[in-house]
Amino acid sequence: MISKQYPFYTYCFGTMGRTLMTARSTGFFQWFHLVQTEQAREEPGQLTRFRPEGKKFHELCYLDVLEASDGAMVQMELVVSRLFIEGTNRLFAQDLVKSFLIAALPDACQHLLADFMREINTPGARGITPGSLVLAGQRDAWATQTGWSRLALNNVTHDNERVFVVRVCPNPEAPNATLVGGKSSHMRKLLALFGLTMSLLACHKPPIQPEVSLKGTWDMTSQQISNCGKPVPVRIERINFTVQDAPLLNRAESSFDFQKANVTGSVSMALHLEGAHPGMADSGILVGEIVKDSAAGEAGTRLQGYILSEAEYGAWVAKNKQGFPPTDAGEVDLAIQGNAAQGYTLNGEIRSSEACATYTHLDAVAGDLTGHFGRSVPAEWSAKVLLQKK
């Protein structure tokens, strides 16, 4: 009984992963002996239904999984009979709901929904959170959203029976959410280059700035590591820098504004320390903006932003992107250089979350009010890097 959420997005459903193949290999499917009972073509791909294999619970619950045409999961819905939840086997029903949420929700979502998750994890508990009240049948509906997921609980009548429905689907703004049928960054770049060629051929028209995005994975070509502002003979063991979503390059802002940040991605940087395992200098979700670089003239632009943990990013999105950046966030400050024909590079600094001097929330407020980006204090680790798109 999938209630479709348009437009369709795919993402990583916690430990279930991105595809039905990975989901079926999880402990959730194995523990509850879920077997496929139905399958049908359904927009945007197909719908598959699973039920417990044993006769005892076979007709009391089922799981619907909606997939895109490429096999990536779009939405999951667990449907449980109210008779199951309120009957003598209610502890089994509660365990099914709890286990599904733990498997389908990313860890960051479970952290943000800690009160609700704690209540449904307590056998036989009757909690006070809105979600627990819906499970108990005392409310008809509750829905919430984190930086990663959308969760909805409903008590409805379906086929003349009262059922409890748990729906999990992506938050479209999640860093790992992918629009079904969306154009790839490669295709967008080809279209941009085609537009540039046409403008050069049409000599009677003024040339236009090509529209090219930073989306994609970037490789490091050079580096210089500093510890508390001083260069040190340490090298980067590995760096992963990916831009998941970004506006086109000719849409730079005048200055950085955390509440209007529209570049998302992921950053991780591990340092090689002699005689030790690689140490993680910073890792998390990139939240930034493309801003005009006053020092480089009218054509200069920079990618500026913060490296947030999953919990920090989820809290930021849940608050409608309001508030100031966390004082313990890493930083990215990179000049965007190059052109559409020859390619682009990112040249600048990636700074760790740990600062080498006292840094307070008031500093963050002052920086935001003055339009200044950066802590203005040395980071414990910072890397001057040159990145080139793969």
Side-chain angles (χ1 to χ4, degrees):
M1 60 172 297
I2 283 283
S3 302
K4 297 179 184 176
Q5 303 294 299
Y6 296 92
F8 298 110
Y9 287 83
T10 66
Y11 85 144
C12 185
F13 285 80
T15 60
M16 298 274 202
R18 279 190 172 270
T19 68
L20 189 52
M21 180 180 294
T22 59
R24 295 179 74 162
S25 65
T26 60
F28 173 76
F29 268 75
Q30 303 301 318
W31 178 256
F32 292 99
H33 302 283
L34 297 179
V35 295
Q36 179 179 324
T37 58
E38 301 173 42
Q39 191 172 68
R41 294 190 61 83
E42 190 84 24
E43 187 185 12
Q46 69 179 8
L47 176 66
T48 306
R49 177 165 296 178
F50 298 88
R51 290 181 181 272
E53 186 175 21
K55 294 182 179 179
K56 186 174 182 179
F57 302 130
H58 186 81
E59 298 299 326
L60 296 177
C61 56
Y62 59 84
L63 175 67
D64 280 349
V65 180
L66 183 64
E67 301 171 86
S69 58
D70 63 356
M73 294 189 294
V74 170
Q75 189 172 316
M76 305 183 83
E77 256 186 27
L78 177 68
V79 180
V80 186
S81 167
R82 291 296 322 173
L83 294 176
F84 188 16
I85 294 174
E86 297 166 4
T88 56
N89 291 307
R90 57 183 176 275
L91 292 181
F92 292 98
Q94 184 182 345
D95 185 48
L96 174 66
V97 173
K98 174 203 70 176
S99 299
F100 171 67
L101 289 171
I102 291 175
L105 290 175
D107 289 341
C109 300
Q110 297 180 41
H111 172 76
L112 293 171
L113 303 174
D115 291 341
F116 168 60
M117 296 298 293
R118 182 172 56 252
E119 287 181 350
I120 67 164
N121 198 34
T122 304
R126 288 290 184 265
I128 60 173
T129 60
S132 296
L133 294 176
V134 179
L135 176 60
Q138 298 177 29
R139 285 183 56 155
D140 286 336
W142 175 65
T144 189
Q145 176 174 289
T146 71
W148 297 88
S149 308
R150 287 177 173 173
L151 171 64
L153 309 181
N154 293 273
N155 287 309
V156 299
T157 300
H158 180 66
D159 289 342
N160 298 317
E161 180 187 10
R162 291 292 287 174
V163 294
F164 172 70
V165 183
V166 184
R167 181 173 67 247
V168 177
C169 60
N171 177 352
E173 296 190 28
N176 60 355
T178 302
L179 178 65
V180 174
K183 293 179 181 178
S184 67
S185 58
H186 176 69
M187 179 61 70
R188 185 176 290 176
K189 184 172 183 178
L190 289 177
L191 291 174
L193 290 175
F194 177 75
L196 174 60
T197 303
M198 293 301 292
S199 70
L200 293 175
L201 292 174
C203 298
H204 63 283
K205 295 182 180 180
I208 60 173
Q209 184 176 357
E211 294 187 332
V212 178
S213 171
L214 295 179
K215 283 186 178 182
T217 302
W218 296 73
D219 283 335
M220 180 180 62
T221 59
S222 68
Q223 59 176 287
Q224 172 62 59
I225 309 301
S226 295
N227 176 229
C228 293
K230 297 180 180 180
V232 291
V234 173
R235 63 181 175 83
I236 297 176
E237 181 78 12
R238 66 178 183 276
I239 186 169
N240 297 311
F241 194 98
T242 301
V243 176
Q244 177 80 16
D245 197 17
L248 302 178
L249 283 178
N250 58 358
R251 299 181 183 176
E253 300 296 330
S254 58
S255 62
F256 180 81
D257 186 340
F258 182 64
Q259 298 179 10
K260 297 180 180 179
N262 55 8
V263 177
T264 56
S266 60
V267 181
S268 64
M269 182 171 65
L271 304 179
H272 177 79
L273 305 176
E274 292 297 333
H277 294 292
M280 188 62 68
D282 221 321
S283 177
I285 299 168
L286 170 66
V287 173
E289 271 191 302
I290 298 172
V291 300
K292 294 178 181 178
D293 187 351
S294 56
E298 184 176 348
T301 53
R302 303 187 73 84
L303 171 59
Q304 295 182 328
Y306 292 96
I307 305 172
L308 308 182
S309 68
E310 289 187 3
E312 289 170 338
Y313 177 83
W316 179 61
V317 173
K319 293 179 180 178
N320 296 318
K321 300 184 178 180
Q322 300 300 307
F324 298 102
T327 56
D328 60 348
E331 296 178 342
V332 170
D333 191 0
L334 302 166
I336 304 170
Q337 301 170 337
N339 54 60
Q342 297 177 343
Y344 288 89
T345 60
L346 299 176
N347 187 8
E349 279 193 85
I350 300 175
R351 310 178 189 115
S352 70
S353 57
E354 297 82 9
C356 287
T358 302
Y359 180 55
T360 68
H361 183 67
L362 292 178
D363 296 322
V365 174
D368 186 81
L369 292 176
T370 59
H372 173 73
F373 174 79
R375 291 188 296 247
S376 300
V377 294
E380 181 178 358
W381 295 104
S382 62
K384 290 184 178 180
V385 296
L386 180 63
L387 304 173
Q388 190 166 23
K389 190 185 289 189
K390 286 185 178 180

